[in-house]
Structure formats: structure tokens, C-alpha cells
Amino acid sequence: MTMHINESAENYLETILTLSKRLPVVRSVDIANELDFKKSSVSVAMKNLREKEHIVVSREGYITLTESGLAIAEMIFERHELLTTWLVRLGVDPQIAAEDACRIEHVISSESFDAIKKHAHQST
């Protein structure tokens, strides 16, 4: 499943997903606070995601992932979680593992990720 979307958009979608698990509703201000970004930057990103139909924004400003947005967010989230866990198991400091996973999750091929996933599940 290859979806052509940039790393920034992937991060926003993943953030919306994680916030939606913690908060009753997700708004631009919540995303700005979570990522420590300016609200204006988040507004531009949300407009782009809305135009690509990855999110829906209600009149009240509540942000919801569409089917495509959710698919991308879940893919990135799964990569992040698995890569972080895998790096920690290899002895990497949890903070560094999370930061590295965040970079790797956007550039790793599906083939390489699937191989790591298979290997990680065999060694549990």
C-alpha cells in the first residue's frame, strides 16, 4: 500500500490519531500544542489534508480522519511503535529509540518494515 504523502502530512495524521485516543475531540489547537507548532502552520497543514480528503473538519473545528487518513495514520503509528520497541530491545535508550523511529518510519520501504516486523514477532 503505497500512498504518496509527505513526511509532515504523515506526522500530522499520526498525531491526530494519537490525540483522538486521548481526547474527546481533536482541534487544530490540540495538534499545535502536541507538536509545539504555531497554530498558523497547523491551519495550513489541515487545509492541505482536507483538500487531499485525509481529514474532515466540522463547523465546530473538530478534526476527524477519513478512511484514507486513518489508513495512513495507522500505518505510521504501527511503524513507530514497532520500530521504537525493536530499537529499545536492541539496547537503544527509549528516548533516542522513539526519535529514531520517528525518522525511520517515513522512509523505510514496506518490504524492509515487513521483514523487521516478522523478525520482531519471532523473537518475542
Side-chain angles (χ1 to χ4, degrees), residues 22-105:
R22 287 201 324 252
L23 303 172
V25 294
V26 178
R27 300 160 307 158
S28 285
V29 67
D30 302 316
I31 297 165
N33 291 338
E34 182 75 11
L35 297 173
D36 200 23
F37 288 172
K38 288 191 182 87
K39 195 163 179 326
S40 56
S41 305
V42 174
S43 294
V44 170
M46 293 307 106
K47 181 178 183 285
N48 292 336
L49 290 174
R50 203 171 56 239
E51 286 170 358
K52 291 189 173 91
E53 299 185 353
H54 293 313
I55 63 167
V56 175
V57 183
S58 74
R59 277 199 316 252
E60 301 81 16
Y62 303 154
I63 299 164
T64 313
L65 294 168
T66 61
E67 200 172 317
S68 67
L70 182 62
I72 295 165
E74 286 178 335
M75 176 190 73
I76 296 298
F77 183 73
E78 178 194 24
R79 286 179 173 195
H80 184 89
E81 294 286 289
L82 189 125
L83 291 166
T84 301
T85 303
W86 186 62
L87 290 168
V88 169
R89 264 202 230 131
L90 292 174
V92 178
D93 173 86
Q95 182 66 40
I96 293 169
E99 290 168 10
D100 286 346
C102 200
R103 286 192 285 275
I104 296 166
E105 70 198 23

